[in-house]
Amino acid sequence: MSGLVMPAPDQSTLSRRAEIVADMRIIVPGEGVVDAVNEMRAFESDGLTAYRQLPLVVVLPETVAQVSRILKYCDDRKIRVVPRGSGTSLSGGALPLEDAVLLVMSRFNRILEIDYPNRTVIAQPGVTNLGITTAVEQEGFYYAPDPSSQIACSIGGNVAENSGGVHSLKYGLTANNVLGIEMVLMNGEVIRLGGKHLDSEGYDLLGVMTGSEGLLGVVTEVTVRILRKPETARALLIGFPTSEQGGQCVADIIGAGIIPGGMEMMDRPAIHAAEDFVHAGYPRECEALLIVELDGPGVEVDHLIGRVEAIALKNGSTTCRISQSEQERMTFWAGRKAAFPAVGRISPDYYCMDGTIPRKELPRVLAGMRELSEQYGLGVANVFHAGDGNLHPLILYDANIPGELDKAENFGADILRLCVKVGGVLTGEHGVGVEKRDLMPEMFNQIDLDQQMRVKCAFDPNHLLNPGKVFPQLRRCAELGRMHISGGKLPFPDIPRF
């Protein structure tokens, strides 16, 4: 795997593969266990396809009891486990390990309850993000977070990564829309966090689990909040001569107290790729395109459209088109939603990054990315959630040219360092996974990382769940306790110190 250092495979586990596979077939009978090499190829990577690794075995449980038995079995025998949803993660969060059971949750695909009076849906983790909205839209409801992969990504994966989407600016990320979960711990215990009620007593463990990237437990049920569809929603397509002007317009709209339902930005390479792919009517002559959606009562939306137009003109906009129908609004968004596959048509490969910055720093960071593009000799197409400063630069490269993948990764790392430098963070919604793991010290010192690791130890003391992800250095939980030396004897003398 291209220079990526992962935990060394446990030879004892590898030597017992046949026995483990046989035991998995007892726990999950039928077609729920995949161990043939050719059949496991479908699971060798997630959306970060630069890294691939066949797992020890693939297991697809269908019941909570099966998940519990699998995890307890692995915990008792010190076998690693990598949870996986739909495999759309762009940070390598579901990258298998050679000596780990790949626990695939896609068979948990039923909606268990729709409660309109309480405005909640209870779904199994394999239900797709869009599937929740589809189940309730006939009654005028929807689920707000809407990642670009919403047709395929699972709600369980959304919880693991704290996914966002184009409408998260106004309606929040997954963390703001999940009310409760059922989860299985590594020792096989089943617990519930939260529920239909608005808030929970005690520590906010639901908040800890949301965005924990499969390191703390396996989610088997999710309770989400659903919202009424707005009375009116209209979108504006606003073109600018430079990305810096578009970025300043974003900051000015938010600074004026206007919170759009969504506010996205694309630069020229992304505009052209999306227009060629979807034919949404994007203005090709612009260097930057802003999509601003305003929703709410019709009178309010009309008023806000006028204010946004004025702010855009003040920032030098050259074109402004306002949707006149629901179909036209959806067409505006179709190009943005298809931007990632569209860019795939203009480059053999691309590397999608995910950093977040303060909105006011957009012009500075966009200029910095242009300089880095020239420095590395690689193109970049920018598509991002401009309203909340969540950037998704797509670095264009050709994996068939020796050294270009390494160059793309270094380019991406410098973009993320720039994000941190201006007061931002390494990730907005894609997670850390393996992609940003080794950049964590750019943002956290060792004390910070050790404290986060202690949370991991409370849930999974043997580091069996998704090891090698998020934390740049694997450390034994015993090392993270306060060390008392008594009589000159070191506690846990058998543990190697690194």
Side-chain angles (χ1 to χ4, degrees), residues 3 37 114 125 157 240 245 260 315 324 344 348 353 359 364 368 372 375 395 397 427 444 458 465 469 477:
V37 170
I114 299 174
F240 294 90
Q245 287 170 292
N315 280 284
Q324 301 301 317
M353 302 306 299
R359 280 181 294 264
R364 176 182 171 186
L372 289 170
Q375 175 186 326
I395 299 169
Y397 73 100
T427 179
F444 301 106
L465 266 175
K469 318 292 173 62
C477 290

Side-chain angles (χ1 to χ4, degrees), residues 47 88 90 147-149 264-266 270 273-274 277-278 334-347 349-354 381-385 390-396 429-430:
T88 57
L90 292 168
S148 294
S149 59
E264 301 288 301
M265 191 166 157
M266 304 163 68
F277 191 49
V278 175
R336 166 60 186 90
K337 290 277 189 178
F340 287 9
V343 169
R345 301 174 76 208
I346 64 172
S347 175
D349 302 280
Y350 68 81
Y351 189 31
C352 178
M353 302 306 299
D354 166 53
N382 278 296
V383 181
F384 49 89
H385 308 312
N390 186 196
L391 310 179
H392 292 315
L394 307 175
I395 299 169
L396 314 181
E429 58 180 349
H430 292 176

Side-chain angles (χ1 to χ4, degrees), residues 6-239:
M6 296 299 287
D10 181 70
Q11 296 303 318
S12 171
T13 299
L14 295 178
S15 69
R16 291 179 285 136
R17 181 175 187 267
E19 172 194 334
I20 294 167
V21 170
D23 289 341
M24 290 295 111
R25 292 193 192 280
I26 294 171
I27 298 173
V28 185
E31 299 181 349
V33 176
V34 179
D35 67 323
V37 170
N38 286 341
E39 293 174 359
M40 291 196 299
R41 291 279 178 210
F43 303 95
E44 68 181 357
S45 75
D46 56 14
L48 186 64
T49 55
Y51 304 121
R52 301 172 186 269
Q53 172 63 58
L54 286 175
L56 182 74
V57 60
V58 178
V59 184
L60 297 94
E62 293 184 83
T63 69
V64 177
Q66 288 176 347
V67 174
S68 175
R69 288 181 63 192
I70 292 165
L71 291 180
K72 180 165 178 30
Y73 174 95
C74 292
D75 192 46
D76 290 344
R77 293 159 181 80
K78 303 297 181 283
I79 300 167
R80 293 164 173 164
V81 177
V82 175
R84 175 186 169 109
S86 296
T88 57
S89 165
L90 292 168
S91 62
L95 179 70
L97 296 174
E98 183 183 355
D99 61 343
V101 172
L102 188 67
L103 189 64
V104 180
M105 300 298 289
S106 55
R107 288 189 171 185
F108 279 73
N109 56 9
R110 293 186 298 122
I111 289 180
L112 303 176
E113 179 186 285
I114 299 174
D115 183 348
Y116 290 115
N118 282 312
R119 298 193 174 189
T120 61
V121 169
I122 300 177
Q124 291 184 319
V127 173
T128 63
N129 173 289
L130 187 59
I132 295 176
T133 291
T134 302
V136 299
E137 62 185 357
Q138 74 277 6
E139 297 294 330
F141 287 86
Y142 74 111
Y143 177 62
D146 54 344
S148 294
S149 59
Q150 66 180 152
I151 193 172
C153 65
S154 66
I155 191 66
N158 288 178
V159 171
E161 303 290 355
N162 191 21
S163 303
V166 298
H167 290 94
S168 291
L169 170 62
K170 185 172 184 178
Y171 296 105
L173 303 165
T174 300
N176 306 110
N177 291 274
V178 168
L179 297 172
I181 61 171
E182 175 189 77
M183 62 178 283
V184 185
L185 301 176
M186 189 65 217
N187 63 7
E189 292 179 355
V190 181
I191 66 171
R192 284 187 173 273
L193 304 174
K196 291 183 182 181
H197 43 282
L198 186 60
D199 203 358
S200 301
E201 69 289 342
Y203 293 122
D204 183 18
L205 295 180
L206 178 61
V208 172
M209 273 300 298
T210 306
S212 61
E213 302 196 33
L215 270 71
L216 306 182
V218 177
V219 174
T220 50
E221 182 184 292
V222 185
T223 301
V224 301
R225 182 198 327 271
I226 54 174
L227 302 176
R228 270 280 183 195
K229 286 187 177 176
E231 174 191 315
T232 304
R234 297 176 71 188
L236 295 83
L237 277 185
I238 308 171

